[in-house]
Each structure stands twice: as C-alpha cells, then as structure tokens.
Amino acid sequence: QVQLVESGGGLVQAGGSLRLSCAASGRTFSSYAMGWYRQAPGKDREFVAAIRWSIGITYYADSVKGRFTISRDNAKNTVYLQMNSLKAEDTAVYYCAAAYSDYELIKRDFGSWGQGTQVTVSS
C-alpha cells in the first residue's frame, strides 16, 4: 500500500493562506488519485479535493471551490493543497488520502490515509 505523510498545518488568521503537503511513499504505482478530507470537532469527515495522478483532473467540494487548489508533483510523489481566503469554518484536521481506482474516487471512498495535520483558522 501507499504510505502518506501530511505536513504544513498550523495556525493562521482568517483571510490568510496555508499550503498543505502530502508525501506518498511505498507502492505509489498502485495509486489512482490523491485527495484531501477534513474533520472538524462535532462534524462528519468531509471530502475537500482530489486529483487524478495521470491527467490532473481535479475535484472540489462546494465549500472550498474557488478558494482551495489541489496540485501534484508526479516526480516527487507529492500532492499539495493550497488554501486561500481561509475562514474559521475551515478549522479541522486535514487528512491526505489515496484512491486506488476510479470507483474509489467517484464514491469518495479512499483506501489509504495519512495521520492528519491540524489547521486552525482564527477569526
């Protein structure tokens, strides 16, 4: 399977920006897409964004569309989440995830997960 390590979380003021990174290692050839989920206290885990490794098609949740950008560096096996115009509602633990098939991507049922990185937006 793929091992995922997130970094880049922290404390930022509302309106600010933050970039999260997710480094993939192991059997990276088996992954189909990479994405980000988040979970805030008292809320369900929420899909944020995803990107196809091969062709770079992106997907975004309505709540972040226009503010967040997902990208990937294939040579580095790394996925990034650029978060701009951050709001207090964006405060959550952000998890990097890997999908191994188009089915997992479409169903938003990803197969591998990182440890998570805390993002806190102060208002």
Side-chain angles (χ1 to χ4, degrees):
Q1 69 272 31
V2 176
Q3 291 80 50
L4 306 171
V5 180
E6 303 99 330
S7 62
L11 176 64
V12 64
Q13 293 187 45
S17 298
L18 207 60
R19 188 174 79 155
L20 305 182
S21 299
C22 175
S25 61
R27 312 292 285 273
T28 56
F29 63 87
S30 65
S31 63
Y32 178 80
M34 298 283 289
W36 293 90
Y37 285 76
R38 67 186 183 185
Q39 186 167 27
K43 298 180 65 178
D44 294 329
R45 189 178 64 184
E46 176 189 23
F47 172 80
V48 176
I51 186 168
R52 294 267 301 276
W53 274 118
S54 60
I55 58 177
I57 294 177
T58 57
Y59 309 82
Y60 295 97
D62 289 340
S63 59
V64 306
K65 202 173 187 67
R67 299 188 298 120
F68 291 9
T69 302
I70 188 169
S71 61
R72 90 287 200 208
D73 185 335
N74 298 67
K76 296 291 186 181
N77 290 319
T78 300
V79 173
Y80 305 95
L81 184 67
Q82 178 67 47
M83 304 183 293
N84 298 325
S85 301
L86 282 163
K87 307 173 180 179
E89 308 92 86
D90 296 318
T91 295
V93 177
Y94 283 71
Y95 296 92
C96 181
Y100 296 95
S101 68
D102 190 55
Y103 174 81
E104 291 187 7
L105 175 62
I106 293 173
K107 296 289 289 185
R108 304 293 190 262
D109 183 19
F110 284 46
S112 295
W113 299 87
Q115 302 301 310
T117 185
Q118 177 71 48
V119 172
T120 302
V121 183
S122 62
S123 59

